[in-house]
Amino acid sequence: MEGAGNWLGLLKWSLAQTSDGTVPSEITPMTEEDKKWLEQVMRECVKDEPKRMNEIMGIFVKMLEEGLTEDKSEEVIELLDELQFMVEQVDMAGVFAKFGGFQCLLGLVESENLTAEARAMAGSTLAALSQNNLEVQEIVFKSGMLDRLAKVYIKSESVLLCNKVLYAISCSIRNHAAAEEYFVLHFAEATLPKAIAAASVVDSNSEAAAGTEALTSRALFLCNALVMSDFTNHARVQKLSALVLPVCLEYLKHESINLRETTQNLLTAIEKHKGPDHAPLMIM
């Protein structure tokens, strides 16, 4: 609806100015001075979010056309931070998708001239756009963006970038039947074992441990979601079991509570969906 961005912005501002109810509020008629002040707030402080999203997308388009360089990374991160706050609203995510904003974000993710931090932020913004939004997930799936995201993931050696790209993939496919099946058939083998094994090859006391644990946890969560999905089938469970069981069983004894619990949840899900014709998992 035209003007919706303005009213969403005004609502945010109004909530910030409203009493929390712990003290009485004194209601008085607005003076001319108050009216002028409110008009000024509307002009200067309330953001037309669809318009601003379009402006940010225009900046990104110009950057991509002129050629991105590493010194643009900080500016990209600042703009993405502003954008992500807006697109976390379902309605705004749909608006941004219809503007064609995904192509800009994918261009940032794919740009090897930007820092890993900037590219990861673009991936995180893609995830925010797609999560729990079937309309946006359909756009992602039909446009072939999963292939491009998977290519970035497979090629990258940055744990941070891999983590956020896998996050974007996960948010783009979960609860979308065709996207889930496409990922399992074409990219599960190239992505999940690498991510799940990440935490096992790094000293848990090292600086890199937190990043690798986050990547592994995200991959285990995605695998669990695919097994437990309403659209799962026996062939999917068999394939995922063969891919991840060899690399995840050791996490049952990992010092990280999160990894232990996530692994146990995955194994329970696999066992539940294996069917009566298969022997139970032997977990030592």
Side-chain angles (χ1 to χ4, degrees), residues 13-32:
W13 173 84
S14 299
L15 290 172
Q17 307 301 318
T18 303
S19 167
D20 61 4
T22 59
V23 295
S25 299
E26 185 176 335
I27 302 174
T28 57
M30 290 186 69
T31 65
E32 285 302 315

Side-chain angles (χ1 to χ4, degrees), residues 227-239:
V227 170
M228 294 293 292
S229 168
D230 291 341
F231 313 112
T232 197
N233 53 59
H234 180 63
R236 176 190 296 189
V237 176
Q238 276 195 314
K239 179 170 184 175

Side-chain angles (χ1 to χ4, degrees), residues 41-196:
V41 168
M42 284 293 293
R43 286 195 304 270
E44 299 178 3
C45 300
V46 178
K47 189 183 298 181
D48 182 342
E49 294 190 331
K51 180 181 178 182
R52 180 55 181 158
M53 284 193 296
N54 210 16
E55 289 172 353
I56 292 174
M57 188 173 69
I59 294 171
F60 288 151
V61 168
K62 185 176 180 181
M63 286 181 173
L64 290 163
E65 288 176 345
E66 294 178 349
L68 286 162
T69 54
E70 187 172 341
D71 61 358
K72 292 286 187 181
S73 295
E74 284 303 316
E75 182 182 358
V76 167
I77 290 172
E78 289 177 5
L79 289 169
L80 287 170
D81 187 54
E82 180 182 356
L83 179 63
Q84 189 162 338
F85 177 77
M86 290 185 280
V87 300
E88 284 174 349
Q89 306 168 61
V90 173
D91 290 343
M92 293 297 103
V95 170
F96 187 76
K98 290 174 181 176
F99 280 164
F102 276 109
Q103 297 302 326
C104 297
L105 293 178
L106 272 171
L108 298 176
V109 172
E110 292 171 328
S111 175
E112 297 182 3
N113 292 327
L114 291 174
T115 62
E117 289 77 12
R119 297 173 72 191
M121 185 73 173
S124 183
T125 306
L126 278 170
L129 279 160
S130 304
Q131 188 163 239
N132 301 320
N133 192 324
L134 285 174
E135 179 185 5
V136 174
Q137 289 176 333
E138 184 72 4
I139 294 172
V140 172
F141 178 65
K142 288 186 174 180
S143 63
M145 294 180 196
L146 287 177
D147 299 68
R148 293 170 64 182
L149 286 170
K151 184 177 180 180
V152 171
Y153 176 91
I154 293 166
K155 186 177 180 180
S156 177
E157 296 182 0
S158 165
V159 171
L160 174 63
L161 180 56
C162 284
N163 186 7
K164 296 305 182 182
V165 170
L166 188 61
Y167 179 34
I169 291 173
S170 176
C171 290
S172 298
I173 67 173
R174 283 184 284 114
N175 299 316
H176 186 290
E180 284 186 6
E181 196 63 18
Y182 186 81
F183 173 80
V184 172
L185 288 174
H186 297 281
F187 299 118
E189 186 171 357
T191 57
L192 293 177
K194 170 187 172 182
I196 292 175

